DNA sequence: CCTCGTAATATGAGTGCATCATAATACCTA
DNA sequence: TAGGTATTATGATGCACTCATATTACGAGG
């Protein structure tokens, strides 16, 4: 509603009488931009919803979508769902942060995390520490050859701030194993060098152990 | 295709001539179970696809869905998409993980985090460590009276696993400050006692310092 | 001033995937 | 063989589109 009136104003406002067709074109481009933004931050909008938001007819919206190569709402929805679903799936059921490559159970492994704007603190543009932590923690957990693995202790150091867009490669290695306790050393680097280092102490629990009964706490 | 033949066999196989209607019912329940599983691991399946997979007519599939309260494929797709979308959202907009209550800048503070199923490892039902870490880290950062704060070091221990639904109360205190370095001690407890303990070393940077130029790395 | 072209709208046919209500048929078993 | 449940079918309807083809509005250029 608000968007509609704003754009309508833009469109019908007699001020700024841009010469020739460029004025018209301008307003359409403006609408295109707005449309893209609206769809970006709510991909589920249906054509008619968009139409009323933009204050134009549904046909215009369709033409605009066509011009901009934006698929219909069902398709958009499907894409969102599929993307998530596939990442979630391919990463051994979403539980892992980052993409596992080359894991040798009980030995060592590598995981890659593409950082995005979503992961940053807005003010600083720096990737939040817990994503980096989660990548390493996830990898460490993946190394332990057991169904139920909990993290007990971690000793971590952030060496350098990471900006959105950097690709983080985390290597981890089991350096000690005693009973059901594993000590994993993980280091994460970006193109520009080492970024993070962490030592994790993990425990594998057999189902019989029962998570609730774990004396020495630990967390998933 | 494979599923179809398998189920069809089950359905038409003259062996196991279960007495009375129970035989028929059994196969339907079997189909229901299969249907649920199929949909679970591919929510995008359309009725007719399911029909051919199960080797029954499309009508049967619809009846089954109705009986099981499973929405149609578009709805399912939308749900998947929405869920992902909203999680991405909530992590993005929440610079702070957990709700801040009672923060005294530079001194101490408390944060509350209601844990949910989303935060758990499916297998164990235990809340993932990085949420707990993030809560404490966020609180620690909030205590530092500066626009730009980065975490450099953390020494953490997970005392006890946390189940979804537990409300986590994290208390943090600045225990040392030297120049732009802060040392914060955080402890998290649930109704059932202490859950987590962490010592964080944070650095506040004035904008002039420039995040990129930070020699001793640190991360947001 | 009027015409021409572009942008915006409209109309109508057709599609995919569904719902809902109401038959019709198959098949088991009592 | 009759009855009842499970399955399949039919037809009407809905939503959110696509695609092709008008029609209308309007701002310049000749």
């Amino acid at each position: 509603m608000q968007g509609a009136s704003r754009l309508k104003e833009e469109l019908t406002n007699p001020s700024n009488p841009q010469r020739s067709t460029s004025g018209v074109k301008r307003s359409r481009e403006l609408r295109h931009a707005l449309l893209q933004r609206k769809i970006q931050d709510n991909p589920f909008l249906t054509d008619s919803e968009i139409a009323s938001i933009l204050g134009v007819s549904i046909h215009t919206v369709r033409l605009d979508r066509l011009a901009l190569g934006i698929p219909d709402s069902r398709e958009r929805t499907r894409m969102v769902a599929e993307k998530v679903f596939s990442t979630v799936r391919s990463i051994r059921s979403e539980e892992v942060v980052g993409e596992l490559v080359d894991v040798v159970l009980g030995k060592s492994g590598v995981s890659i995390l593409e950082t995005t704007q979503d992961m940053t603190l807005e003010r600083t543009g720096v990737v939040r520490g817990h994503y980096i932590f989660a990548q390493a923690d996830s990898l460490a957990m993946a190394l332990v050859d057991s169904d139920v693995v909990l993290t007990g202790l971690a000793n971590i150091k952030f060496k350098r701030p990471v900006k959105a867009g950097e690709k983080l490669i985390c290597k981890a290695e089991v350096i000690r194993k005693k009973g059901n306790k594993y000590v994993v050393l993980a280091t994460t680097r970006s193109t520009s060098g080492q970024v993070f280092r962490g030592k994790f102490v993990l425990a594998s629990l057999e189902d019989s152990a029962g998570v609730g009964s774990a004396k020495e706490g630990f967390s998933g």
Side-chain angles (χ1 to χ4, degrees), chain A residues 97 131-141 170 172 184 186 188 196 200:
Chain A
V97 177
Y131 285 98
I132 301 169
F133 172 78
Q135 179 191 18
D137 186 38
S138 293
L139 176 57
M141 290 176 79
C170 181
V184 177
T188 304
F196 171 92
F200 297 86

Side-chain angles (χ1 to χ4, degrees), chain A residues 10 13-19 23 26:
Chain A
E10 256 297 344
N13 197 334
S15 79
N16 192 26
Q18 222 61 34
R19 45 218 123 317
R26 166 84 57 95

Side-chain angles (χ1 to χ4, degrees), chain A residues 132 155-160 186 194-199:
Chain A
I132 301 169
N155 222 295
I156 64 191
K157 176 163 191 176
F158 297 97
K159 301 273 200 175
R160 199 180 55 72
Q194 195 171 343
V195 152
F196 171 92
R197 187 196 57 78
K199 198 172 82 181

Side-chain angles (χ1 to χ4, degrees), chain A residues 61 73 124 129:
Chain A
V61 173
S73 74
T124 60

Side-chain angles (χ1 to χ4, degrees), chain A residues 11 49 85 108-109:
Chain A
L11 284 165
E49 286 168 333
F85 204 71
S108 62

Side-chain angles (χ1 to χ4, degrees), chain A residues 12-191:
Chain A
T12 57
N13 197 334
S15 79
N16 192 26
Q18 222 61 34
R19 45 218 123 317
S20 127
T21 59
S22 91
V24 173
K25 263 185 188 159
R26 166 84 57 95
S27 72
R28 185 172 55 179
E29 270 151 30
L30 206 145
R31 193 184 59 228
H32 280 187
L34 191 56
L35 185 148
Q36 282 187 303
R37 246 202 39 220
K38 286 283 169 199
I39 284 181
Q40 182 124 42
D41 61 48
N42 183 2
F44 310 117
L45 286 173
T46 190
D47 280 359
S48 66
E49 286 168 333
I50 297 171
S52 82
I53 287 174
L54 263 52
V56 295
S57 82
I58 199 169
H59 315 289
T60 307
V61 173
R62 313 243 227 237
L63 280 180
D64 286 356
R65 275 203 298 102
L66 194 69
L68 296 168
I70 296 172
D72 63 83
S73 74
R74 304 214 250 237
E75 186 68 9
R76 275 170 350 239
T77 305
R78 227 207 58 237
M79 286 165 75
V80 172
E82 218 152 57
K83 196 173 112 200
V84 175
F85 204 71
S86 67
T87 30
V88 161
R89 276 296 139 128
S90 70
I91 300 175
R92 191 214 246 195
S93 80
E94 91 149 78
E95 320 243 292
V96 173
V97 177
E99 190 186 352
L100 295 179
V101 290
D102 197 34
V103 171
V104 184
L105 280 175
K107 284 267 172 68
S108 62
V110 177
S111 144
I112 294 178
L113 176 66
E114 308 260 6
T115 61
T116 65
Q117 203 62 44
D118 295 351
M119 303 177 183
T120 65
L121 280 162
E122 257 173 59
R123 194 134 43 203
T124 60
V126 171
V127 174
R128 296 231 42 181
H130 63 262
Y131 285 98
I132 301 169
F133 172 78
Q135 179 191 18
D137 186 38
S138 293
L139 176 57
M141 290 176 79
L143 291 189
V144 176
D145 186 8
S146 169
D147 266 3
V148 183
V149 185
L150 299 175
T151 304
L153 230 86
N155 222 295
I156 64 191
K157 176 163 191 176
F158 297 97
K159 301 273 200 175
R160 199 180 55 72
V162 174
K163 291 267 179 68
E166 291 190 47
K167 185 194 279 188
L168 299 180
I169 296 152
C170 181
K171 292 190 187 175
E173 204 176 344
V174 176
I175 57 172
R176 200 159 53 246
K177 175 179 189 291
K178 202 182 214 174
N180 68 333
K181 294 266 174 66
Y182 290 74
V183 179
V184 177
L185 196 66
T187 57
T188 304
R189 39 184 193 76
S190 170
T191 45

